Structures are given as C-alpha cells and as structure tokens.
Amino acid sequence: MSQQQLHRADANESPYPPVPAVLDAIVEAAARVNRYPQVYPTALAEAIAAHHRVPVDRVAVGAGGAGLIQQMLHLVARGRRRGEVLAAWRSFEGYPLIAEGMSVPLRRVPLRGHAHDLTAMAKAVRRRTKLVFLCSPNNPTGVPIRQDDLDRFLTRVPRRVFVVLDEVYRDFATDPATADGPATLPGHPNLIVLRSFSKAYGLAGLRVGYALGHPGPIAALRGVTMPFLVPETAQAAAIAALAAEPEYGARRRAVAAERDRVTAALRAAGIEVPASEGNFVWLPLGDRTAGFAAACRTRGLLVHAFPGEGVRVTVGPPESNDVLLEVARSGEFVRG
C-alpha cells in the first residue's frame, strides 16, 4: 500500500491544511528566507501576549513544545548540583527521551487509571526535585487534570519546585472542569504553562511553541534560547493563525465533536475508552495492542501503538475514523 493511501493517525497532527490567511503569510515571508529572522521572535511574543492579555515579559517562545521542554531541562541541569524532574507515566514520551539525552534524572509516577495521580506526585517531591511535568489533557490517555485537583496540587508543592503544565492539547477540551493554565498563573510564581501551535493551529511542520509564566522563570527561559531560533516563515504563520482564531476555533470544535462520536462508537463496540479532551482517543488494549495496530495498518490506518498497553489514535476526518471503527466493530479485539 502506498504512502498516499494511508490514513495517518499516529502523530496527533491536524487533519486540516492551514487556512488561506496563514498560507498567504507563509508565502509572503518565504520571499525573505535569504535573511536571518529576528534574533528573538519579539513580534510573535507580542502577538501571543496580546492573545492571552498578559504583558510580553510573561511569554517565552521556542521551537515547539519539545524545544521549550529542552530549555527547561537545561535550566534544571545547570549548576553544581544537578536536579531531578518528575513526570506521570504513561505520559508524553518526550519527557524521558529529552531528559535522558541531557543526562537529567527523571522519576516516573504511575497514573491512577488513566489520569495523573497528583496525590502520589506531590508525595514524590523531594529535596533534589526541581521541576514537575503535568500533561493536561494527558498524552496518550486524553484525560485532563481537573481545576480543583490542580489547585490542591499547587498548594502542596514547595514554591522552589517549578510545575510545568503542558497544555498543548488544552484548546480541544470541552469539559468545563478541565484545568485552565493561564487563569491559574496568578498567585503561583512556580507555575509555567506550555502551549504549542502544532496541534490547535495545525502548524506542526513549523515547530512553534510558547510558555506563559511569571517574569522570573520566563526571563530564565529566554536566557537559554538560541539566537534566530524561530524562522520568519514560522513566526508569520503563527501570528496569522492567532488572527484567524475564529476559523481555528471552529475546526477544533469539529475535531472535538468527531472525537466524542468515535468515543461513543468504540464503547458501543465493547472497548472501554476513557473520555478524552485532546484530539485523539486512547484504546487500553493491553496484550491485544499489537494485533489491533496491525489490523488497522492492513486497512490503511496508521496508529500509535504502545506495546502491551494500548493504542492512541488521532482524530482525523470521518473516513479515517470510520476505518478505526471498522476494526473495533470486528469484535476480534474485545476481551470476553
């Protein structure tokens, strides 16, 4: 089967191409690729600050969410006494991969069911702990952190420990109980909120992300940003995407509606799927995972398999999602 015939549902990418205004901005900026971009993407930082209605000294821009995670871990690794970080598990694969590459110790706290066990994570904080990653909605399970649970967690964690609330999927959430990072920032100087243009705005190929926080930690992140990090095409696309928020908001609502349709259909087929607030669904198939992923591949659907645990499937157009449901309804992967 050729690559063109495959439905790509393995990387949590947007199924939509950029809106026309964003494409126009990319084309216009592309005419200047012979020139270096701004040393620091100030214009983009200002646009993000205006979008969130915060001062620009509360915004740090980076090369996607992963780039900012690397910058944060660089800060953890500095100094004579190297610190450690905590993360839930299973969660975003990039946390341990990037930490390992930077020789930063990372301890994993098991999920409770499909959600963060914030009580256990608070208890796991020790003197060496410098940073805690929280992913909400969690990748790959899709389960968000509730606002009341986040509020309690922040009161239990010492202020010397930075809490990174990774919200790259937050814009797909429709549950009003889902934690809201930007709204939580006041009163919590150790909280950093991570967002990205890759998912909510479909600019994964341009690698633009940002962090929101108090001036001190944001200045530290800016201090370890490589010069000329964000190309002008990426900056122009991100600024245009913010200006096109109504169109992107409609797209995200469509993805959320399709996500909920798929979740209901999977449950009706006998697969216990947790309620996702991201742009993907999680099928906790255990030892059936490899077989399910292979069956999807045979029908032209690429999914992200976690051997022995489950399958994460990005919500795509209906025809892509219907392939997933066809495999699920076969009954072969429902535990009797």
Side-chain angles (χ1 to χ4, degrees):
M1 181 173 294
S2 70
Q3 192 69 24
Q4 287 73 24
Q5 294 174 294
L6 291 173
H7 295 285
R8 291 178 53 173
D10 56 335
N12 288 349
E13 299 157 328
S14 170
Y16 302 107
V19 302
V22 171
L23 281 175
D24 289 344
I26 292 172
V27 171
E28 195 274 334
R32 299 187 298 276
V33 295
N34 57 306
R35 304 294 184 184
Y36 284 109
Q38 291 178 301
V39 174
Y40 187 84
T42 302
L44 176 54
E46 290 172 346
I48 293 167
H51 178 74
H52 286 283
R53 300 180 181 179
V54 297
V56 73
D57 66 353
R58 295 180 177 241
V59 177
V61 179
L68 283 158
I69 288 168
Q70 185 178 47
Q71 289 175 230
M72 294 171 191
L73 292 175
H74 177 74
L75 294 173
V76 171
R78 287 198 312 188
R80 292 183 357 186
R81 297 187 61 185
R82 184 177 292 260
E84 66 168 20
V85 299
L86 292 181
W89 197 253
R90 178 172 288 278
S91 191
F92 177 45
E93 296 168 281
Y95 301 147
L97 285 174
I98 299 171
E100 181 180 356
M102 301 183 70
S103 299
V104 175
L106 182 143
R107 287 192 293 128
R108 310 179 193 197
V109 180
L111 297 175
R112 185 179 66 246
H114 303 297
H116 282 63
D117 187 342
L118 294 182
T119 299
M121 293 189 78
K123 290 179 179 178
V125 172
R126 57 190 185 185
R127 184 169 296 180
R128 288 188 61 201
T129 308
K130 289 188 176 181
L131 187 149
V132 178
F133 284 117
L134 305 178
C135 188
S136 176
N138 185 47
N139 178 12
T141 64
V143 178
I145 294 172
R146 293 173 54 92
Q147 185 67 55
D148 52 357
D149 291 333
L150 176 63
D151 292 339
R152 280 192 292 270
F153 179 77
L154 289 171
T155 64
R156 298 187 63 186
V157 175
R159 288 200 170 190
R160 62 174 177 78
V161 177
F162 284 98
V163 176
V164 177
L165 183 62
D166 186 344
E167 290 190 325
V168 299
Y169 299 102
R170 175 62 175 80
D171 285 322
F172 296 98
T174 56
D175 183 351
T178 301
D180 184 331
T184 311
L185 279 170
H188 296 288
N190 61 329
L191 178 63
I192 300 172
V193 178
L194 184 62
R195 295 284 183 99
S196 172
F197 286 89
S198 297
K199 321 297 183 181
Y201 295 97
L203 299 180
L206 292 179
R207 313 306 302 130
V208 188
Y210 61 95
L212 303 173
H214 288 254
I218 291 300
L221 280 175
R222 286 190 173 206
V224 293
T225 302
M226 287 181 58
F228 313 115
L229 182 67
V230 183
E232 187 173 350
T233 49
Q235 293 182 50
I239 292 171
L242 290 175
E245 176 60 33
E247 292 173 84
Y248 281 104
R251 288 181 170 189
R252 292 193 291 266
R253 289 190 293 274
V255 168
E258 186 68 2
R259 173 197 69 205
D260 294 345
R261 178 185 80 87
V262 170
T263 297
L266 288 170
R267 290 173 175 172
I271 298 177
E272 293 301 319
V273 181
S276 172
E277 292 294 321
N279 68 333
F280 54 89
V281 291
W282 170 248
L283 286 66
L285 296 169
D287 57 9
R288 297 164 291 164
T289 295
F292 190 93
C296 288
R297 178 67 172 78
T298 298
R299 290 167 173 83
L301 178 68
L302 297 179
V303 300
H304 192 140
F306 298 81
E309 298 181 55
V311 174
R312 189 197 70 200
V313 187
T314 306
V315 174
E319 59 270 23
S320 170
N321 305 326
D322 288 343
V323 176
L324 169 68
L325 298 179
E326 176 188 337
V327 177
R329 287 168 178 155
S330 70
E332 181 182 352
F333 302 100
V334 178
R335 197 181 296 280

